[in-house]
Amino acid sequence: MADNSHIPTATAPERKPLPEAAKRALAEAEARRAAAQATIAPATREAGGPAGPEPTRFGDWERKGIASDF
């Protein structure tokens, strides 16, 4: 078996500490993302819509065993 001890291993470089302004900016961005996510209404099912996967995603509709492509 070959001795690979002379090959350097890859390590993650050390990161410099973030300045306070960068920390504030990241916190503000996270707060904006959370506020935007809270205002999004949950998806509702279509009344009388198709069961199963979204048909427009797969390119066809199927009703009572009959599929129609469009």
CSV table of all heavy atoms in Angstrom, one decimal:
chain,number,residue,atom,x,y,z
A,1,MET,N,0.8,-1.2,0.0
A,1,MET,CA,0.0,0.0,0.0
A,1,MET,C,0.9,1.2,0.0
A,1,MET,O,1.9,1.3,0.7
A,1,MET,CB,-0.9,-0.1,1.2
A,1,MET,CG,-1.9,1.1,1.3
A,1,MET,SD,-3.2,0.7,2.4
A,1,MET,CE,-4.5,0.3,1.3
A,2,ALA,N,0.5,2.3,-0.8
A,2,ALA,CA,1.3,3.5,-0.9
A,2,ALA,C,1.1,4.4,0.3
A,2,ALA,O,0.1,4.5,0.9
A,2,ALA,CB,0.9,4.2,-2.2
A,3,ASP,N,2.2,5.1,0.7
A,3,ASP,CA,2.2,6.0,1.8
A,3,ASP,C,1.8,7.4,1.2
A,3,ASP,O,2.5,8.0,0.5
A,3,ASP,CB,3.6,6.1,2.4
A,3,ASP,CG,3.6,7.1,3.6
A,3,ASP,OD1,2.5,7.3,4.2
A,3,ASP,OD2,4.7,7.6,3.9
A,4,ASN,N,0.6,7.9,1.6
A,4,ASN,CA,0.1,9.1,1.0
A,4,ASN,C,0.2,10.3,2.1
A,4,ASN,O,-0.5,11.3,2.0
A,4,ASN,CB,-1.4,9.0,0.6
A,4,ASN,CG,-1.5,8.1,-0.6
A,4,ASN,OD1,-0.6,8.0,-1.4
A,4,ASN,ND2,-2.7,7.4,-0.7
A,5,SER,N,1.1,10.1,3.0
A,5,SER,CA,1.2,11.2,4.1
A,5,SER,C,1.8,12.5,3.5
A,5,SER,O,1.7,13.5,4.2
A,5,SER,CB,2.0,10.6,5.2
A,5,SER,OG,3.4,10.3,4.8
A,6,HIS,N,2.5,12.4,2.4
A,6,HIS,CA,3.1,13.6,1.8
A,6,HIS,C,2.0,14.5,1.1
A,6,HIS,O,2.3,15.6,0.7
A,6,HIS,CB,4.2,13.3,0.9
A,6,HIS,CG,3.8,12.5,-0.3
A,6,HIS,ND1,3.5,11.2,-0.3
A,6,HIS,CD2,3.6,12.9,-1.6
A,6,HIS,CE1,3.2,10.8,-1.5
A,6,HIS,NE2,3.2,11.8,-2.3
A,7,ILE,N,0.8,14.0,0.8
A,7,ILE,CA,-0.2,14.7,0.1
A,7,ILE,C,-1.0,15.5,1.0
A,7,ILE,O,-1.5,15.0,2.0
A,7,ILE,CB,-1.1,13.7,-0.7
A,7,ILE,CG1,-0.3,12.9,-1.7
A,7,ILE,CG2,-2.2,14.5,-1.4
A,7,ILE,CD1,-1.2,11.8,-2.3
A,8,PRO,N,-1.0,16.9,0.8
A,8,PRO,CA,-1.8,17.7,1.7
A,8,PRO,C,-3.3,17.4,1.6
A,8,PRO,O,-3.8,17.1,0.5
A,8,PRO,CB,-1.5,19.1,1.2
A,8,PRO,CG,-1.0,19.0,-0.2
A,8,PRO,CD,-0.4,17.6,-0.3
A,9,THR,N,-4.0,17.5,2.7
A,9,THR,CA,-5.4,17.3,2.7
A,9,THR,C,-6.1,18.7,2.6
A,9,THR,O,-5.6,19.7,3.1
A,9,THR,CB,-5.9,16.6,4.0
A,9,THR,OG1,-5.5,17.4,5.1
A,9,THR,CG2,-5.3,15.2,4.1
A,10,ALA,N,-7.3,18.7,2.0
A,10,ALA,CA,-8.0,19.9,1.8
A,10,ALA,C,-8.8,20.2,3.1
A,10,ALA,O,-9.4,19.4,3.7
A,10,ALA,CB,-9.0,19.8,0.7
A,11,THR,N,-8.6,21.4,3.6
A,11,THR,CA,-9.3,21.9,4.8
A,11,THR,C,-10.0,23.2,4.4
A,11,THR,O,-9.6,23.9,3.5
A,11,THR,CB,-8.3,22.1,6.0
A,11,THR,OG1,-7.4,23.1,5.6
A,11,THR,CG2,-7.6,20.9,6.4
A,12,ALA,N,-11.1,23.5,5.1
A,12,ALA,CA,-11.8,24.7,4.9
A,12,ALA,C,-11.0,25.9,5.4
A,12,ALA,O,-10.4,25.8,6.5
A,12,ALA,CB,-13.1,24.6,5.6
A,13,PRO,N,-10.9,26.9,4.6
A,13,PRO,CA,-10.2,28.1,5.1
A,13,PRO,C,-10.9,28.8,6.3
A,13,PRO,O,-12.1,28.7,6.4
A,13,PRO,CB,-10.1,29.0,3.9
A,13,PRO,CG,-11.3,28.6,3.1
A,13,PRO,CD,-11.5,27.1,3.3
A,14,GLU,N,-10.1,29.3,7.2
A,14,GLU,CA,-10.7,30.0,8.3
A,14,GLU,C,-11.4,31.3,7.8
A,14,GLU,O,-10.8,32.0,7.0
A,14,GLU,CB,-9.7,30.3,9.3
A,14,GLU,CG,-9.2,29.1,10.1
A,14,GLU,CD,-8.3,29.5,11.3
A,14,GLU,OE1,-8.6,30.6,11.9
A,14,GLU,OE2,-7.4,28.8,11.5
A,15,ARG,N,-12.6,31.5,8.4
A,15,ARG,CA,-13.3,32.8,8.0
A,15,ARG,C,-13.0,33.9,9.0
A,15,ARG,O,-12.9,33.6,10.2
A,15,ARG,CB,-14.8,32.5,8.0
A,15,ARG,CG,-15.2,31.6,6.9
A,15,ARG,CD,-16.7,31.5,6.8
A,15,ARG,NE,-17.1,31.0,5.5
A,15,ARG,CZ,-18.3,31.1,5.0
A,15,ARG,NH1,-19.2,31.5,5.8
A,15,ARG,NH2,-18.6,30.6,3.9
A,16,LYS,N,-12.9,35.1,8.4
A,16,LYS,CA,-12.7,36.2,9.3
A,16,LYS,C,-14.0,36.5,10.0
A,16,LYS,O,-15.1,36.2,9.5
A,16,LYS,CB,-12.3,37.4,8.5
A,16,LYS,CG,-11.0,37.3,7.8
A,16,LYS,CD,-10.5,38.6,7.2
A,16,LYS,CE,-11.3,39.0,6.0
A,16,LYS,NZ,-10.9,40.2,5.3
A,17,PRO,N,-14.0,37.0,11.2
A,17,PRO,CA,-15.3,37.4,11.9
A,17,PRO,C,-16.0,38.5,11.1
A,17,PRO,O,-15.4,39.3,10.5
A,17,PRO,CB,-14.8,37.8,13.3
A,17,PRO,CG,-13.4,38.0,13.2
A,17,PRO,CD,-12.8,37.3,12.0
A,18,LEU,N,-17.3,38.4,11.1
A,18,LEU,CA,-18.1,39.4,10.4
A,18,LEU,C,-18.2,40.7,11.2
A,18,LEU,O,-18.3,40.7,12.4
A,18,LEU,CB,-19.6,38.9,10.2
A,18,LEU,CG,-19.8,37.7,9.3
A,18,LEU,CD1,-21.2,37.2,9.3
A,18,LEU,CD2,-19.4,38.1,7.9
A,19,PRO,N,-18.1,41.8,10.4
A,19,PRO,CA,-18.3,43.1,11.1
A,19,PRO,C,-19.7,43.2,11.6
A,19,PRO,O,-20.6,42.5,11.2
A,19,PRO,CB,-18.0,44.1,10.0
A,19,PRO,CG,-17.5,43.3,8.8
A,19,PRO,CD,-17.8,41.9,9.0
A,20,GLU,N,-19.9,44.1,12.6
A,20,GLU,CA,-21.3,44.3,13.2
A,20,GLU,C,-22.3,44.7,12.1
A,20,GLU,O,-23.4,44.3,12.2
A,20,GLU,CB,-21.2,45.3,14.3
A,20,GLU,CG,-20.5,44.8,15.5
A,20,GLU,CD,-21.1,43.6,16.1
A,20,GLU,OE1,-22.4,43.5,16.2
A,20,GLU,OE2,-20.4,42.6,16.4
A,21,ALA,N,-21.9,45.5,11.2
A,21,ALA,CA,-22.8,46.0,10.1
A,21,ALA,C,-23.3,44.8,9.3
A,21,ALA,O,-24.5,44.7,8.9
A,21,ALA,CB,-22.1,47.0,9.2
A,22,ALA,N,-22.4,43.9,9.0
A,22,ALA,CA,-22.8,42.7,8.2
A,22,ALA,C,-23.7,41.8,9.0
A,22,ALA,O,-24.7,41.3,8.5
A,22,ALA,CB,-21.5,41.9,7.8
A,23,LYS,N,-23.5,41.7,10.3
A,23,LYS,CA,-24.4,40.9,11.2
A,23,LYS,C,-25.8,41.5,11.2
A,23,LYS,O,-26.8,40.8,11.1
A,23,LYS,CB,-23.8,40.8,12.6
A,23,LYS,CG,-22.5,39.9,12.7
A,23,LYS,CD,-22.0,39.9,14.1
A,23,LYS,CE,-20.7,39.1,14.2
A,23,LYS,NZ,-20.1,39.2,15.5
A,24,ARG,N,-25.8,42.9,11.3
A,24,ARG,CA,-27.1,43.5,11.3
A,24,ARG,C,-27.8,43.3,10.0
A,24,ARG,O,-29.0,43.1,9.9
A,24,ARG,CB,-26.9,45.0,11.6
A,24,ARG,CG,-26.7,45.4,13.1
A,24,ARG,CD,-26.9,46.9,13.3
A,24,ARG,NE,-26.1,47.7,12.4
A,24,ARG,CZ,-24.8,48.0,12.6
A,24,ARG,NH1,-24.2,47.6,13.7
A,24,ARG,NH2,-24.2,48.8,11.7
A,25,ALA,N,-27.1,43.4,8.9
A,25,ALA,CA,-27.7,43.3,7.6
A,25,ALA,C,-28.2,41.9,7.4
A,25,ALA,O,-29.3,41.7,6.9
A,25,ALA,CB,-26.7,43.6,6.5
A,26,LEU,N,-27.5,40.9,7.9
A,26,LEU,CA,-28.0,39.5,7.8
A,26,LEU,C,-29.3,39.3,8.6
A,26,LEU,O,-30.2,38.6,8.2
A,26,LEU,CB,-26.9,38.5,8.2
A,26,LEU,CG,-25.8,38.4,7.2
A,26,LEU,CD1,-24.6,37.5,7.8
A,26,LEU,CD2,-26.2,37.7,5.9
A,27,ALA,N,-29.3,39.9,9.8
A,27,ALA,CA,-30.4,39.8,10.7
A,27,ALA,C,-31.7,40.5,10.1
A,27,ALA,O,-32.8,39.9,10.1
A,27,ALA,CB,-30.1,40.4,12.1
A,28,GLU,N,-31.4,41.6,9.5
A,28,GLU,CA,-32.5,42.4,8.8
A,28,GLU,C,-33.1,41.6,7.6
A,28,GLU,O,-34.3,41.5,7.4
A,28,GLU,CB,-32.1,43.7,8.4
A,28,GLU,CG,-31.8,44.7,9.5
A,28,GLU,CD,-31.2,46.0,9.1
A,28,GLU,OE1,-31.1,46.2,7.8
A,28,GLU,OE2,-30.8,46.8,9.9
A,29,ALA,N,-32.2,41.0,6.9
A,29,ALA,CA,-32.6,40.2,5.7
A,29,ALA,C,-33.4,39.0,6.2
A,29,ALA,O,-34.5,38.6,5.5
A,29,ALA,CB,-31.4,39.7,4.9
A,30,GLU,N,-33.0,38.3,7.2
A,30,GLU,CA,-33.7,37.2,7.7
A,30,GLU,C,-35.1,37.6,8.2
A,30,GLU,O,-36.1,36.9,8.0
A,30,GLU,CB,-33.0,36.5,8.9
A,30,GLU,CG,-33.6,35.3,9.4
A,30,GLU,CD,-33.9,34.2,8.4
A,30,GLU,OE1,-33.0,34.0,7.5
A,30,GLU,OE2,-34.9,33.5,8.5
A,31,ALA,N,-35.2,38.8,8.9
A,31,ALA,CA,-36.5,39.3,9.3
A,31,ALA,C,-37.4,39.6,8.2
A,31,ALA,O,-38.6,39.3,8.2
A,31,ALA,CB,-36.3,40.5,10.2
A,32,ARG,N,-36.9,40.2,7.1
A,32,ARG,CA,-37.7,40.4,5.9
A,32,ARG,C,-38.2,39.2,5.3
A,32,ARG,O,-39.3,39.1,4.8
A,32,ARG,CB,-36.9,41.3,4.9
A,32,ARG,CG,-36.8,42.7,5.2
A,32,ARG,CD,-36.2,43.5,4.0
A,32,ARG,NE,-35.0,43.1,3.5
A,32,ARG,CZ,-33.8,43.5,4.0
A,32,ARG,NH1,-33.8,44.4,5.0
A,32,ARG,NH2,-32.7,43.0,3.5
A,33,ARG,N,-37.3,38.1,5.2
A,33,ARG,CA,-37.7,36.9,4.6
A,33,ARG,C,-38.8,36.2,5.5
A,33,ARG,O,-39.8,35.7,4.9
A,33,ARG,CB,-36.5,35.9,4.5
A,33,ARG,CG,-35.7,36.1,3.3
A,33,ARG,CD,-34.7,35.0,3.1
A,33,ARG,NE,-33.7,34.9,4.1
A,33,ARG,CZ,-32.5,35.6,4.1
A,33,ARG,NH1,-32.3,36.3,3.1
A,33,ARG,NH2,-31.7,35.5,5.1
A,34,ALA,N,-38.7,36.3,6.8
A,34,ALA,CA,-39.7,35.7,7.7
A,34,ALA,C,-41.0,36.5,7.5
A,34,ALA,O,-42.1,35.9,7.5
A,34,ALA,CB,-39.2,35.7,9.1
A,35,ALA,N,-41.0,37.8,7.4
A,35,ALA,CA,-42.2,38.6,7.3
A,35,ALA,C,-42.9,38.3,5.9
A,35,ALA,O,-44.1,38.2,5.8
A,35,ALA,CB,-41.9,40.1,7.4
A,36,ALA,N,-42.1,38.2,4.9
A,36,ALA,CA,-42.7,37.9,3.6
A,36,ALA,C,-43.3,36.5,3.6
A,36,ALA,O,-44.3,36.3,3.0
A,36,ALA,CB,-41.6,38.0,2.5
A,37,GLN,N,-42.6,35.5,4.2
A,37,GLN,CA,-43.2,34.2,4.3
A,37,GLN,C,-44.5,34.1,5.0
A,37,GLN,O,-45.3,33.3,4.7
A,37,GLN,CB,-42.1,33.2,4.9
A,37,GLN,CG,-42.4,31.8,4.7
A,37,GLN,CD,-42.2,31.3,3.2
A,37,GLN,OE1,-42.8,31.9,2.3
A,37,GLN,NE2,-41.4,30.3,3.0
A,38,ALA,N,-44.6,35.0,6.1
A,38,ALA,CA,-45.8,35.0,6.9
A,38,ALA,C,-47.0,35.5,6.1
A,38,ALA,O,-48.1,35.2,6.4
A,38,ALA,CB,-45.6,35.8,8.2
A,39,THR,N,-46.8,36.4,5.1
A,39,THR,CA,-47.9,37.0,4.4
A,39,THR,C,-48.3,36.2,3.3
A,39,THR,O,-49.4,36.4,2.7
A,39,THR,CB,-47.4,38.4,3.8
A,39,THR,OG1,-46.3,38.2,2.9
A,39,THR,CG2,-47.1,39.3,5.0
A,40,ILE,N,-47.6,35.1,2.9
A,40,ILE,CA,-48.0,34.2,1.8
A,40,ILE,C,-49.2,33.4,2.3
A,40,ILE,O,-49.0,32.7,3.3
A,40,ILE,CB,-46.8,33.4,1.3
A,40,ILE,CG1,-45.8,34.3,0.7
A,40,ILE,CG2,-47.3,32.4,0.3
A,40,ILE,CD1,-44.5,33.5,0.3
A,41,ALA,N,-50.3,33.4,1.6
A,41,ALA,CA,-51.4,32.6,1.9
A,41,ALA,C,-51.1,31.1,1.6
A,41,ALA,O,-50.5,30.8,0.6
A,41,ALA,CB,-52.6,33.0,1.2
A,42,PRO,N,-51.6,30.2,2.5
A,42,PRO,CA,-51.3,28.8,2.1
A,42,PRO,C,-52.1,28.4,0.9
A,42,PRO,O,-53.2,28.9,0.6
A,42,PRO,CB,-51.9,28.0,3.4
A,42,PRO,CG,-52.8,29.0,4.0
A,42,PRO,CD,-52.3,30.4,3.7
A,43,ALA,N,-51.6,27.5,0.1
A,43,ALA,CA,-52.2,27.0,-1.1
A,43,ALA,C,-53.5,26.3,-0.7
A,43,ALA,O,-53.6,25.5,0.2
A,43,ALA,CB,-51.3,26.1,-1.9
A,44,THR,N,-54.6,26.6,-1.5
A,44,THR,CA,-55.8,26.0,-1.3
A,44,THR,C,-56.1,25.0,-2.4
A,44,THR,O,-55.7,25.3,-3.6
A,44,THR,CB,-57.0,27.0,-1.1
A,44,THR,OG1,-57.0,27.8,-2.3
A,44,THR,CG2,-56.8,27.9,0.1
A,45,ARG,N,-56.9,24.0,-2.1
A,45,ARG,CA,-57.2,23.0,-3.2
A,45,ARG,C,-58.3,23.6,-4.0
A,45,ARG,O,-59.2,24.4,-3.6
A,45,ARG,CB,-57.7,21.7,-2.6
A,45,ARG,CG,-56.7,21.0,-1.8
A,45,ARG,CD,-55.7,20.3,-2.6
A,45,ARG,NE,-56.3,19.3,-3.5
A,45,ARG,CZ,-55.7,18.7,-4.5
A,45,ARG,NH1,-54.5,19.0,-4.7
A,45,ARG,NH2,-56.3,17.9,-5.2
A,46,GLU,N,-58.4,23.3,-5.3
A,46,GLU,CA,-59.4,23.8,-6.2
A,46,GLU,C,-60.6,22.9,-6.0
A,46,GLU,O,-60.6,21.7,-5.9
A,46,GLU,CB,-58.9,23.6,-7.6
A,46,GLU,CG,-59.9,24.0,-8.7
A,46,GLU,CD,-59.4,23.7,-10.1
A,46,GLU,OE1,-58.2,23.3,-10.2
A,46,GLU,OE2,-60.1,23.9,-11.0
A,47,ALA,N,-61.8,23.6,-5.8
A,47,ALA,CA,-63.1,22.9,-5.7
A,47,ALA,C,-63.4,22.1,-6.9
A,47,ALA,O,-63.4,22.7,-8.0
A,47,ALA,CB,-64.2,23.9,-5.3
A,48,GLY,N,-63.5,20.8,-6.8
A,48,GLY,CA,-63.8,20.0,-8.0
A,48,GLY,C,-62.6,19.8,-8.9
A,48,GLY,O,-62.8,19.3,-10.0
A,49,GLY,N,-61.5,20.1,-8.4
A,49,GLY,CA,-60.3,20.0,-9.2
A,49,GLY,C,-59.8,18.5,-9.3
A,49,GLY,O,-60.4,17.6,-8.6
A,50,PRO,N,-58.8,18.3,-10.0
A,50,PRO,CA,-58.3,16.9,-10.2
A,50,PRO,C,-57.6,16.4,-8.9
A,50,PRO,O,-57.0,17.1,-8.2
A,50,PRO,CB,-57.3,17.0,-11.3
A,50,PRO,CG,-56.8,18.4,-11.3
A,50,PRO,CD,-58.0,19.2,-10.8
A,51,ALA,N,-57.7,15.1,-8.7
A,51,ALA,CA,-57.0,14.5,-7.6
A,51,ALA,C,-55.6,14.1,-8.1
A,51,ALA,O,-55.4,13.8,-9.2
A,51,ALA,CB,-57.8,13.2,-7.1
A,52,GLY,N,-54.7,14.0,-7.2
A,52,GLY,CA,-53.3,13.6,-7.5
A,52,GLY,C,-52.5,14.8,-8.0
A,52,GLY,O,-52.8,15.9,-7.6
A,53,PRO,N,-51.4,14.5,-8.8
A,53,PRO,CA,-50.5,15.5,-9.2
A,53,PRO,C,-51.2,16.6,-10.1
A,53,PRO,O,-52.2,16.3,-10.7
A,53,PRO,CB,-49.4,14.8,-9.9
A,53,PRO,CG,-49.8,13.4,-10.0
A,53,PRO,CD,-51.1,13.2,-9.2
A,54,GLU,N,-50.6,17.7,-10.1
A,54,GLU,CA,-51.1,18.8,-10.9
A,54,GLU,C,-51.1,18.5,-12.4
A,54,GLU,O,-50.0,18.2,-12.9
A,54,GLU,CB,-50.3,20.1,-10.6
A,54,GLU,CG,-50.8,21.3,-11.4
A,54,GLU,CD,-52.2,21.8,-11.1
A,54,GLU,OE1,-52.6,21.6,-9.9
A,54,GLU,OE2,-52.9,22.2,-12.0
A,55,PRO,N,-52.2,18.4,-13.1
A,55,PRO,CA,-52.2,17.9,-14.4
A,55,PRO,C,-51.5,18.8,-15.4
A,55,PRO,O,-50.9,18.4,-16.4
A,55,PRO,CB,-53.7,17.8,-14.8
A,55,PRO,CG,-54.4,18.7,-13.8
A,55,PRO,CD,-53.6,18.7,-12.6
A,56,THR,N,-51.5,20.1,-15.2
A,56,THR,CA,-50.8,21.0,-16.1
A,56,THR,C,-49.3,20.9,-16.0
A,56,THR,O,-48.6,21.1,-17.0
A,56,THR,CB,-51.2,22.5,-15.8
A,56,THR,OG1,-50.9,22.8,-14.4
A,56,THR,CG2,-52.6,22.8,-16.1
A,57,ARG,N,-48.8,20.4,-14.9
A,57,ARG,CA,-47.4,20.1,-14.7
A,57,ARG,C,-47.0,18.9,-15.6
A,57,ARG,O,-45.9,18.9,-16.2
A,57,ARG,CB,-47.1,19.8,-13.3
A,57,ARG,CG,-45.6,19.5,-13.0
A,57,ARG,CD,-45.4,19.4,-11.6
A,57,ARG,NE,-44.0,18.9,-11.4
A,57,ARG,CZ,-43.6,18.3,-10.3
A,57,ARG,NH1,-44.4,18.0,-9.3
A,57,ARG,NH2,-42.3,18.0,-10.2
A,58,PHE,N,-47.9,17.9,-15.8
A,58,PHE,CA,-47.5,16.7,-16.5
A,58,PHE,C,-48.1,16.8,-17.9
A,58,PHE,O,-47.9,15.8,-18.7
A,58,PHE,CB,-48.0,15.5,-15.8
A,58,PHE,CG,-47.3,15.4,-14.4
A,58,PHE,CD1,-47.9,15.7,-13.3
A,58,PHE,CD2,-46.0,14.9,-14.4
A,58,PHE,CE1,-47.2,15.6,-12.0
A,58,PHE,CE2,-45.3,14.8,-13.2
A,58,PHE,CZ,-45.9,15.2,-12.0
A,59,GLY,N,-48.8,17.8,-18.3
A,59,GLY,CA,-49.3,18.0,-19.7
A,59,GLY,C,-50.5,17.2,-20.1
A,59,GLY,O,-50.8,17.1,-21.2
A,60,ASP,N,-51.3,16.7,-19.1
A,60,ASP,CA,-52.5,16.0,-19.6
A,60,ASP,C,-53.5,16.1,-18.4
A,60,ASP,O,-53.2,16.3,-17.3
A,60,ASP,CB,-52.3,14.6,-20.0
A,60,ASP,CG,-51.7,13.7,-18.9
A,60,ASP,OD1,-51.7,14.1,-17.7
A,60,ASP,OD2,-51.3,12.6,-19.2
A,61,TRP,N,-54.8,15.9,-18.8
A,61,TRP,CA,-55.9,15.8,-17.9
A,61,TRP,C,-56.5,14.4,-17.9
A,61,TRP,O,-56.5,13.8,-19.0
A,61,TRP,CB,-57.0,16.8,-18.2
A,61,TRP,CG,-56.6,18.2,-18.0
A,61,TRP,CD1,-55.9,19.1,-18.8
A,61,TRP,CD2,-56.8,19.0,-16.8
A,61,TRP,NE1,-55.7,20.3,-18.3
A,61,TRP,CE2,-56.3,20.3,-17.0
A,61,TRP,CE3,-57.5,18.7,-15.6
A,61,TRP,CZ2,-56.3,21.3,-16.1
A,61,TRP,CZ3,-57.5,19.8,-14.7
A,61,TRP,CH2,-57.0,21.0,-14.9
A,62,GLU,N,-57.0,14.0,-16.9
A,62,GLU,CA,-57.6,12.6,-16.9
A,62,GLU,C,-58.9,12.7,-16.0
A,62,GLU,O,-58.9,13.1,-14.9
A,62,GLU,CB,-56.6,11.6,-16.3
A,62,GLU,CG,-57.1,10.2,-16.3
A,62,GLU,CD,-57.4,9.6,-15.0
A,62,GLU,OE1,-56.7,9.9,-14.0
A,62,GLU,OE2,-58.4,8.9,-14.9
A,63,ARG,N,-60.0,12.3,-16.6
A,63,ARG,CA,-61.3,12.3,-16.0
A,63,ARG,C,-61.9,10.9,-16.2
A,63,ARG,O,-62.1,10.5,-17.4
A,63,ARG,CB,-62.2,13.3,-16.5
A,63,ARG,CG,-61.9,14.7,-16.0
A,63,ARG,CD,-62.3,14.8,-14.6
A,63,ARG,NE,-62.3,16.2,-14.1
A,63,ARG,CZ,-62.1,16.5,-12.9
A,63,ARG,NH1,-61.9,15.6,-12.0
A,63,ARG,NH2,-62.2,17.8,-12.6
A,64,LYS,N,-62.2,10.2,-15.2
A,64,LYS,CA,-62.9,8.9,-15.3
A,64,LYS,C,-62.1,8.0,-16.2
A,64,LYS,O,-62.7,7.3,-17.0
A,64,LYS,CB,-64.3,9.1,-15.8
A,64,LYS,CG,-65.2,9.9,-14.8
A,64,LYS,CD,-66.6,10.0,-15.2
A,64,LYS,CE,-67.3,10.9,-14.2
A,64,LYS,NZ,-68.7,11.2,-14.6
A,65,GLY,N,-60.8,8.0,-16.1
A,65,GLY,CA,-60.0,7.0,-16.9
A,65,GLY,C,-59.7,7.5,-18.3
A,65,GLY,O,-59.0,6.8,-19.0
A,66,ILE,N,-60.2,8.6,-18.8
A,66,ILE,CA,-59.9,9.1,-20.1
A,66,ILE,C,-59.0,10.3,-20.0
A,66,ILE,O,-59.3,11.2,-19.3
A,66,ILE,CB,-61.2,9.5,-20.8
A,66,ILE,CG1,-62.2,8.3,-20.9
A,66,ILE,CG2,-60.9,10.1,-22.2
A,66,ILE,CD1,-63.6,8.7,-21.4
A,67,ALA,N,-57.8,10.1,-20.7
A,67,ALA,CA,-56.8,11.2,-20.6
A,67,ALA,C,-56.9,12.0,-21.9
A,67,ALA,O,-57.1,11.5,-23.0
A,67,ALA,CB,-55.4,10.6,-20.5
A,68,SER,N,-56.8,13.3,-21.7
A,68,SER,CA,-56.7,14.2,-22.9
A,68,SER,C,-55.5,15.1,-22.8
A,68,SER,O,-55.3,15.7,-21.8
A,68,SER,CB,-58.0,15.1,-23.0
A,68,SER,OG,-58.1,15.9,-21.8
A,69,ASP,N,-54.6,15.0,-23.8
A,69,ASP,CA,-53.4,15.8,-23.8
A,69,ASP,C,-53.7,17.1,-24.4
A,69,ASP,O,-54.6,17.3,-25.3
A,69,ASP,CB,-52.3,15.1,-24.6
A,69,ASP,CG,-51.9,13.8,-24.0
A,69,ASP,OD1,-52.0,13.7,-22.7
A,69,ASP,OD2,-51.4,12.9,-24.7
A,70,PHE,N,-53.0,18.1,-24.0
A,70,PHE,CA,-53.2,19.4,-24.6
A,70,PHE,C,-51.9,20.2,-24.6
A,70,PHE,O,-50.9,19.8,-24.1
A,70,PHE,CB,-54.2,20.3,-23.9
A,70,PHE,CG,-54.0,20.5,-22.5
A,70,PHE,CD1,-53.3,21.7,-22.0
A,70,PHE,CD2,-54.4,19.6,-21.5
A,70,PHE,CE1,-53.1,21.9,-20.7
A,70,PHE,CE2,-54.2,19.9,-20.2
A,70,PHE,CZ,-53.5,21.0,-19.8
